[in-house]
Amino acid sequence: MSTPAEMGKSGVLKTHEATSTSGYGLPVYILGLAFLIITVYFAYELLYRRTKGVAAGGPTFIIAGPSGAGKTALFTLLRYGEKSTTLPSVEQNISTTFRLPNLPDTAKPFVLIDTPGHQKLRHGMFSALQIAQTARTIHGVLYVVDASAISRPERLREAAEYLYDILRITERVRGGTDVLVAANKSELFTAVPAKRLRTLLEVELDKIRESRAKSVDKVGAGGDKHDGDDGDEDDSAVVGGNLWLGRGGEKEGPFKFEDLETEVTVVDGSVDNDKIDGWLGWMEERAVN
Ligand SMILES: Nc1nc2c(ncn2[C@@H]2O[C@H](COP(=O)(O)OP(=O)(O)O)[C@@H](O)[C@H]2O)c(=O)[nH]1
Ligand SMILES: [Mg+2]
């Protein structure tokens, strides 16, 4: 119905465009190009260089964990000494001048990065971690977990899945990157203690390892078994392919944190109750290394 009208309209527009291009063609073109270049540059700066530069620029701690665990609350408490969480959780919150309270003022400031926990936004955390590992600026990952909700199977699963992905990265470097599982919200009566949380995570990580190995088996049509039997303890070379975490081979028993290069420590605390001394102590130990 409206086709002739539209056609007419576009016809007019075309003539107009044609006139304008012939009128001030080159300046408009240059202006447009300059605008495009500036936009692309800032997008690059914002999305890539910022994280890369920051994570590679100085000694770094990265805060990660599922949504709602208290990462931003912890970041705010560490950085500003406040408990209110007015900071956004959809992007990274970065401080390049973070100082640990018990270290002398002369000590170098740290880079502290709070990352979003939503599954679709985790890639930023993975790349920040990889960049900091490559630049050897990483001093540790604070993996914040809501210990009061972990007795719910789906929450435990989520916490273990994300941790599995992180450990797959920390295992790529010799000696691993230290991970602190910060069992937050421990003041709530439903909270599981650190020791129990450690066991729960180990059991869940074992299940994830099994199921991922199976799905790889199904996909990789050629091989009938996952390549974990020939002592492939840390084959970083096949990072994309081998999803096995920990000791190789199914016969070597269930998943254990001790089998990793990465040192995983579970410590409970509470951002709400200012009970973060255990976590600070862990950071201080890693700050000097
Ligand atoms: N009970 C309790 N709630 C907390 C604690 N730490 C954080 N929260 C709350 O948990 C919710 C999620 O916190 P937030 O920092 O946004 O989580 P994030 O998604 O991991 O960044 C907020 O309502 C916080 O006030 C804590 O130690 N105890
Ligand atoms: Mg957050």
Side-chain angles (χ1 to χ4, degrees):
M1 283 197 299
S2 58
T3 334
E6 266 174 13
M7 272 175 76
K9 214 167 138 193
S10 63
V12 170
L13 271 171
K14 259 186 192 152
T15 349
H16 179 72
E17 267 169 28
T19 346
S20 73
T21 327
S22 58
Y24 359 63
L26 206 61
V28 168
Y29 180 70
I30 290 170
L31 216 70
L33 197 71
F35 181 74
L36 192 77
I37 290 169
I38 290 168
T39 313
V40 168
Y41 172 76
F42 275 104
Y44 170 78
E45 187 76 11
L46 205 74
L47 295 171
Y48 183 72
R49 270 263 304 270
R50 189 161 166 245
T51 318
K52 184 181 162 88
V54 162
T60 301
F61 285 107
I62 298 177
I63 304 175
S67 277
K71 298 178 296 296
T72 306
L74 175 62
F75 176 86
T76 314
L77 182 60
L78 286 172
R79 180 65 186 89
Y80 304 104
E82 290 170 8
K83 267 175 276 180
S84 67
T85 57
T86 45
L87 290 169
S89 264
V90 288
E91 58 187 58
Q92 295 186 348
N93 295 301
I94 300 168
S95 166
T96 51
T97 55
F98 168 63
R99 287 179 186 281
L100 280 159
N102 295 330
L103 291 188
D105 284 348
T106 48
K108 211 175 167 203
F110 280 86
V111 176
L112 187 66
I113 308 177
D114 164 38
T115 59
H118 191 279
Q119 201 159 10
K120 293 207 170 87
L121 302 170
R122 287 177 193 169
H123 53 90
M125 187 279 162
F126 298 137
S127 64
L129 176 58
Q130 278 164 302
I131 288 161
Q133 279 192 170
T134 309
R136 298 178 184 277
T137 51
I138 190 77
H139 283 248
V141 173
L142 287 89
Y143 188 76
V144 185
V145 167
D146 180 348
S148 74
I150 214 73
S151 40
R152 284 159 56 187
E154 74 279 9
R155 299 295 285 275
L156 173 62
R157 184 73 181 193
E158 192 198 1
E161 293 260 9
Y162 190 9
L163 181 58
Y164 195 97
D165 293 334
I166 291 172
L167 292 174
R168 291 264 312 129
I169 299 173
T170 61
E171 284 293 283
R172 286 180 200 173
V173 287
R174 196 173 295 278
T177 294
D178 294 347
V179 174
L180 169 74
V181 176
N184 192 29
K185 311 196 187 183
S186 67
E187 90 284 359
L188 298 175
F189 80 98
T190 48
V192 298
K195 211 173 158 195
R196 171 107 186 100
L197 176 61
R198 189 181 168 90
T199 312
L200 286 172
L201 284 172
E202 272 182 338
V203 171
E204 201 63 25
L205 286 164
D206 186 60
K207 291 184 199 162
I208 293 166
R209 183 169 73 166
E210 285 297 333
S211 69
R212 289 199 187 185
K214 280 203 186 90
S215 64
V216 167
D217 277 356
K218 266 189 213 149
V219 175
D224 50 345
K225 274 200 132 209
H226 72 82
D227 49 355
D229 300 86
D230 45 3
D232 60 332
E233 298 199 348
D234 181 27
D235 39 2
S236 326
V238 280
V239 156
N242 181 21
L243 297 176
W244 195 255
L245 190 67
R247 297 227 169 271
E250 283 147 29
K251 296 171 208 87
E252 291 201 38
F255 174 87
K256 285 268 168 274
F257 283 124
E258 293 127 54
D259 294 340
L260 301 178
E261 290 267 304
T262 304
E263 187 189 304
V264 181
T265 318
V266 188
V267 180
D268 50 22
S270 162
V271 175
D272 262 18
N273 282 9
D274 268 319
K275 215 191 113 208
I276 59 165
D277 287 355
W279 305 342
L280 284 173
W282 181 90
M283 290 173 89
E284 281 153 17
E285 277 172 31
R286 267 117 204 119
V288 289
N289 291 334

